[in-house]
């Protein structure tokens, strides 16, 4: 297993906000927007119409007061009222269209980004997942992508609309009566100052909320995963108190942000009122001098309120943009993480797999050195100059204490990792030269820690779509998994819970063995595949393994030494080095590490027992249950 050092997590970055605007990130984001240019154009069109309506209705009010009312013509007033109603309908339609098109744009960009991120995650090397918490990756695919959806749905496009409205209203005010416009604009510096302070305070509050939320999510996830342990040790009260502390910290962070918003909006409202007061004071002299009409003043009263609304909205858009830039930086950093090798489908995969299988699979480790941790303090070697060769149809067993490097050998063979020195060869070819889908199509790997997906039994046993259902059913019958399936309420259609919840550990191992046998592998990798099954089931599986191993290359990691006494060769590993090798009888006669391990497990009772290729019945039960590995 990888050492603890290999599982170092990346530095926390959920509280990093970064620059408010990054042109490089915007260019990359634009590549996801480009396919939906029509939606952007439609949204901008609706925004332009809505901005025009913001100006048209006050000007219509001015015309009614200055022209229609003095003319005492009811028809003019009625036509003006009808025009006003029409403008409101157009404004409603434009607002609806803006919301619809921007939301549709955000959802489609979000879908494409999630597809891209998830596809890339599947191509990343296993070492990446060793050092990166799963919760952080889930946040990337969900929360960070959602932040970009908010940017498109209510941020960047709406922000452009606010700027357009601001510009249009300001120009119209200056053209209609520049003196009244300047009287209203006198408070703009104070609005900008208040917005600047607001942005700074909200930035800090936003960072703290995000940090507290990340801590809260991490705590909840860990405690839910370890709920059995919490209940076993009666720590419900203590954990509830610790959760309450984190929950309260999250509440306090939110309250700080609410305080900032609660102060900012009344300040902007106060400044808007001051602008109106300045306008009215100036308008009194302008109207008295005949430089402005009452209708103009009425129009300005509407325009001033509509002018300051976009300023207020832009301050909120600032925070959306800031969060989106931080989210996009994290997303693109993930997308830029290099994949170890191409996992795309090889066009002639079936032909290559068939050709290799016809040759028979030869596995060779040629002076392999490997370390999970290659930090500045030097490599911590897990394997040291390991060499061996397994010919077609032969079986190799790996034994040794925990951390000796047994599982690492399997990981290198499957190319979950690559060695720092030496080569891993399959049929004389370096595995780094073989397409990954070809290499892994040759292998069936049964782990001790069985993983089943949430879904029906059939889908779990047919992970390779090319495997016929009949082969899966035959494989289940050969290992006794068909009896397990028959007991399930839905049989082959029974829905398993997360990680195979609903069946026991032993039943999961039977299902995993059926899954491995169904693919008819050329290379079989076993990691103590019968450790969690009872004696009767183990005997059935050993019989199935004996049949399956015939003509196939097999590498088995052994924890119970009684299960590998028939192996063609046994490697004894100690601190990453091969310290002994040979058959079961040769190693016992050498009276070294293997003999001591075997004696520790009570192996004296079987020392003189004959060893066939594999036991055809239940394996000999040992007096103790001591294990290695």
């Amino acid at each position: 297993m990888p050492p603890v050092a290999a599982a170092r997590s990346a530095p926390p970055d959920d509280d990093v906000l970064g620059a408010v605007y990054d042109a490089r990130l915007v260019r990359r984001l634009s590549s996801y927007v480009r396919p939906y240019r029509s939606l952007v154009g439609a949204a901008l069109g609706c925004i332009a119409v809505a901005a025009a309506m913001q100006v048209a209705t006050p000007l219509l009010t001015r015309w009614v007061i200055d022209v229609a009312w003095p003319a005492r013509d009811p028809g003019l007033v009625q036509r003006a009222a009808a025009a006003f109603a029409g403008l409101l309908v157009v404004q409603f339609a434009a607002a609806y269209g803006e919301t619809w098109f921007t939301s549709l744009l955000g959802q489609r960009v979000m879908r494409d980004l999630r597809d891209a991120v998830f596809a890339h995650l599947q191509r990343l090397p296993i070492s990446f997942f060793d050092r990166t918490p799963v919760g952080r990756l889930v946040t990337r695919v969900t929360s960070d992508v959602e932040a970009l959806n908010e940017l498109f749905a209510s941020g960047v496009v709406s922000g452009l609309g606010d700027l357009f409205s601001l510009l249009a209203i300001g120009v119209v005010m200056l053209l209609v009566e520049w003196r009244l416009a300047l009287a209203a604009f006198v408070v703009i510096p104070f609005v900008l100052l208040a917005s600047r302070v607001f942005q700074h305070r909200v930035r800090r509050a936003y960072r703290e909320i995000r940090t507290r939320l990340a801590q809260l999510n991490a705590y909840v996830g860990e405690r839910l995963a370890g709920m059995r342990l919490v209940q076993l040790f009666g720590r419900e009260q203590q954990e509830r108190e610790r959760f309450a502390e984190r929950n309260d910290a999250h509440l306090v962070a939110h309250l700080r942000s609410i305080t900032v918003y609660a102060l900012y909006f009344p300040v902007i409202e106060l400044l808007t009122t001051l602008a109106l007061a300045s306008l009215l004071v100036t308008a009194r002299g302008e109207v008295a001098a005949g430089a402005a009409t009452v209708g103009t003043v009425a129009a300005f009263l509407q325009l001033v309120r509509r002018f300051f609304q976009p300023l207020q909205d832009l301050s909120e858009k600032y925070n959306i943009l800031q969060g989106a830039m931080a989210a996009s930086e994290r997303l693109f950093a993930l997308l830029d993480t290099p994949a170890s090798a191409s996992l795309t489908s090889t066009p002639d995969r079936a032909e290559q797999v068939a050709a290799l299988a016809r040759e028979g699979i030869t596995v060779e480790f040629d002076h392999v050195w490997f370390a999970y941790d290659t930090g500045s303090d030097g490599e911590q070697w897990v394997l040291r100059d390991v060499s061996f060769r397994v010919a077609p149809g032969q079986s190799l067993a790996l034994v040794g204490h925990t951390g000796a490097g047994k599982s690492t050998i399997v990981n290198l063979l499957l190319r979950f990792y690559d060695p720092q020195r030496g080569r891993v060869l399959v049929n004389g070819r370096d595995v780094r030269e073989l397409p990954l889908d070809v290499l892994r199509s040759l292998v069936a790997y049964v782990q001790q820690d069985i993983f089943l997906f949430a879904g029906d039994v059939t889908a779990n046993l047919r992970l390779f779509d090319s495997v016929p259902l009949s082969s899966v059913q035959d494989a289940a019958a050969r290992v006794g998994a068909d009896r397990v399936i028959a007991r399930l309420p839905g049989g082959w259609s029974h829905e398993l819970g997360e990680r195979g919840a609903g069946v026991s550990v032993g039943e999961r191992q039977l299902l995993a063995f059926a899954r491995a046998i169904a693919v008819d592998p050329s290379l079989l990798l076993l990691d103590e595949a019968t450790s969690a099954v009872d004696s009767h089931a183990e005997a059935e599986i050993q019989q199935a393994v004996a049949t399956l191993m015939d003509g196939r290359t097999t590498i088995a990691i052994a924890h119970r030494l009684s299960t590998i006494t028939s192996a063609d060769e046994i490697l004894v590993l100690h601190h990453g080095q091969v310290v002994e090798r040979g058959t079961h009888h040769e190693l016992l006669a050498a009276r070294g590490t293997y003999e001591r391990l075997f004696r520790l497990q009570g192996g004296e009772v079987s020392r003189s027992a004959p060893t066939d290729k594999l036991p055809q019945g239940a394996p000999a039960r040992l007096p103790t249950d001591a294990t290695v590995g």
Side-chain angles (χ1 to χ4, degrees):
M1 296 297 291
V4 174
R8 268 188 216 135
S9 62
D13 57 359
D14 289 312
D15 60 339
V16 176
L17 295 182
V20 177
Y21 178 82
D22 189 320
R24 177 183 57 87
L25 295 176
V26 170
R27 284 194 297 272
R28 292 192 67 173
L29 282 173
S30 66
S31 65
Y32 289 90
V33 179
R34 203 168 293 125
Y36 309 111
R37 288 188 292 265
S38 59
L39 289 177
V40 175
L44 291 176
C46 291
I47 287 172
V49 172
M53 295 303 100
Q54 294 277 355
V55 174
T57 49
L59 293 180
L60 181 61
T61 301
R62 177 195 182 200
W63 181 84
V64 169
I65 295 175
D66 290 345
V67 177
W69 285 358
R72 299 181 181 276
D73 185 347
L76 282 178
V77 176
Q78 291 173 358
R79 286 194 292 273
F84 194 86
L87 291 176
L88 290 179
V89 171
V90 172
Q91 186 174 359
F92 172 83
Y96 175 82
E98 176 192 346
T99 302
W100 171 259
F101 290 123
T102 54
S103 298
L104 188 59
L105 172 65
Q107 290 295 323
R108 289 186 174 175
V109 171
M110 184 169 61
R111 177 199 61 190
D112 294 347
L113 265 171
R114 280 191 176 139
D115 285 344
V117 172
F118 187 77
H120 186 71
L121 282 172
Q122 294 183 97
R123 298 180 61 246
L124 293 177
I126 297 299
S127 57
F128 172 83
F129 297 96
D130 287 341
R131 65 177 182 268
T132 308
V134 173
R136 181 162 294 152
L137 298 178
V138 173
T139 300
R140 296 294 166 272
V141 181
T142 55
S143 299
D144 284 340
V145 175
E146 184 63 39
L148 294 180
N149 171 53
E150 190 175 4
L151 171 69
F152 292 110
S154 59
V156 61
V157 179
S158 297
L160 291 174
D162 288 335
L163 286 173
F164 189 83
S165 297
L166 198 64
L167 181 62
I169 294 171
V171 169
V172 168
M173 289 173 68
L174 289 170
L175 290 176
V176 171
E177 177 51 64
W178 64 272
R179 296 179 188 84
L180 294 181
L182 292 180
F185 294 164
V186 72
V187 300
I188 288 181
F190 300 101
V191 172
L192 295 178
L193 177 62
S195 298
R196 182 64 179 172
V197 173
F198 167 77
Q199 291 163 2
H200 178 69
R201 296 292 178 87
V202 166
R203 177 185 176 91
R204 284 171 27 186
Y206 179 82
R207 180 189 292 114
E208 187 176 4
I209 289 172
R210 194 172 183 85
T211 302
R212 298 299 184 186
L213 182 60
Q215 293 172 350
L216 190 65
N217 288 340
Y219 186 85
V220 171
E222 187 177 30
R223 265 52 188 184
L224 290 178
M227 186 55 67
R228 294 186 182 211
L229 206 59
V230 170
Q231 295 184 356
L232 177 64
F233 286 91
R235 290 193 54 82
E236 294 89 345
Q237 180 63 31
Q238 294 91 329
E239 298 302 336
R240 187 174 67 182
E241 291 172 357
R242 294 177 66 184
F243 173 81
E245 292 175 5
R246 288 161 175 78
N247 198 24
D248 288 343
H250 183 244
L251 171 63
V252 170
H254 259 294
L255 290 177
R256 288 197 185 101
S257 70
I258 292 171
T259 301
V260 174
Y261 276 97
L263 288 172
Y264 174 69
F265 290 112
V267 166
I268 296 298
E269 188 64 30
L270 174 63
L271 292 173
T272 303
T273 304
L274 289 176
L276 291 173
S278 174
L279 171 66
L280 291 173
V281 170
T282 306
R284 177 178 177 277
E286 292 294 311
V287 171
T293 64
V294 175
T296 300
V297 175
F300 262 74
L301 290 175
Q302 296 181 55
L303 288 170
V304 167
R305 283 208 167 272
R306 298 182 184 192
F307 179 81
F308 285 100
Q309 183 62 45
L311 282 176
Q312 180 176 305
D313 291 343
L314 283 172
S315 295
E316 293 188 77
K317 301 297 189 299
Y318 172 93
N319 300 307
I320 294 175
L321 178 62
Q322 181 175 256
M325 288 295 102
S328 61
E329 186 169 6
R330 290 188 289 266
L331 282 170
F332 289 130
L334 176 59
L335 289 171
D336 290 339
T337 304
S340 59
S342 175
L343 286 174
T344 56
S345 179
T346 306
D348 58 344
R349 178 180 63 86
E351 290 80 359
Q352 292 190 49
V353 171
L356 288 167
R358 282 194 299 270
E359 298 175 22
I361 301 301
T362 300
V363 175
E364 184 177 357
F365 273 54
D366 180 21
H367 300 287
V368 169
W369 292 70
F370 175 74
Y372 289 104
D373 187 7
T374 57
S376 58
D377 54 346
E379 291 87 355
Q380 303 295 320
W381 297 113
V382 179
L383 296 181
R384 302 168 179 267
D385 196 26
V386 172
S387 296
F388 63 84
R389 184 176 184 274
V390 190
Q394 289 187 335
S395 59
L396 173 75
L398 306 173
V399 303
H401 61 78
T402 300
K406 303 182 299 298
S407 296
T408 299
I409 289 176
V410 173
N411 289 336
L412 295 180
L413 179 55
L414 289 169
R415 278 211 70 196
F416 290 149
Y417 306 91
D418 288 326
Q420 282 81 19
R421 305 180 196 171
R423 298 181 302 164
V424 179
L425 307 171
V426 170
N427 287 17
R429 295 176 60 183
D430 194 315
V431 293
R432 286 171 287 204
E433 300 173 359
L434 282 172
L436 276 177
D437 59 337
V438 172
L439 172 65
R440 292 172 182 171
S441 294
L442 294 166
V443 181
Y445 181 26
V446 182
Q447 301 169 277
Q448 185 176 14
D449 182 18
I450 302 301
F451 191 98
L452 297 176
F453 293 99
D456 62 52
V457 175
T458 303
N460 268 285
L461 269 59
R462 289 185 70 191
L463 291 184
F464 285 104
D465 294 333
S466 58
V467 178
L469 180 58
S470 58
S471 297
V472 175
Q473 292 172 338
D474 179 62
R478 291 169 65 185
V479 299
D482 56 338
R483 295 196 303 275
V484 174
I485 297 170
R487 288 197 298 268
L488 297 175
W492 285 90
S493 300
H494 179 74
E495 292 286 331
L496 299 174
E498 186 178 0
R499 299 184 66 88
V503 293
S504 69
V505 175
E507 289 171 336
R508 287 203 294 270
Q509 282 199 319
L510 286 171
L511 294 174
F513 221 97
R515 179 169 63 192
I517 293 176
V519 301
D520 192 22
S522 301
L523 175 60
L524 184 62
L525 305 178
L526 305 175
D527 187 355
E528 193 54 60
T530 60
S531 62
V533 297
D534 57 30
S535 301
H536 181 70
E538 184 173 0
E540 290 185 334
I541 291 178
Q542 293 287 10
Q543 289 176 340
V545 171
T547 302
L548 185 63
M549 287 174 56
D550 188 20
R552 291 179 172 85
T553 306
T554 303
I555 297 177
I557 296 174
H559 300 266
R560 291 207 299 265
L561 301 185
S562 62
T563 63
I564 48 89
T565 56
S566 60
D568 293 310
E569 185 176 25
I570 300 172
L571 298 187
V572 182
L573 295 166
H574 183 69
H575 294 312
Q577 293 179 298
V578 179
V579 294
E580 293 178 5
R581 67 176 71 209
T583 64
H584 171 67
H585 284 301
E586 291 171 348
L587 293 174
L588 286 181
R591 303 188 67 82
T593 303
Y594 180 83
E595 191 269 345
R596 289 194 298 273
L597 291 173
F598 195 76
R599 181 159 41 85
L600 178 65
Q601 294 190 10
E604 297 93 339
V605 299
S606 301
R607 187 177 295 178
S608 60
T611 56
D612 301 321
K613 184 67 177 177
L614 264 179
Q616 298 301 306
R621 283 293 165 184
L622 304 176
T624 67
D625 194 29
T627 60
V628 294

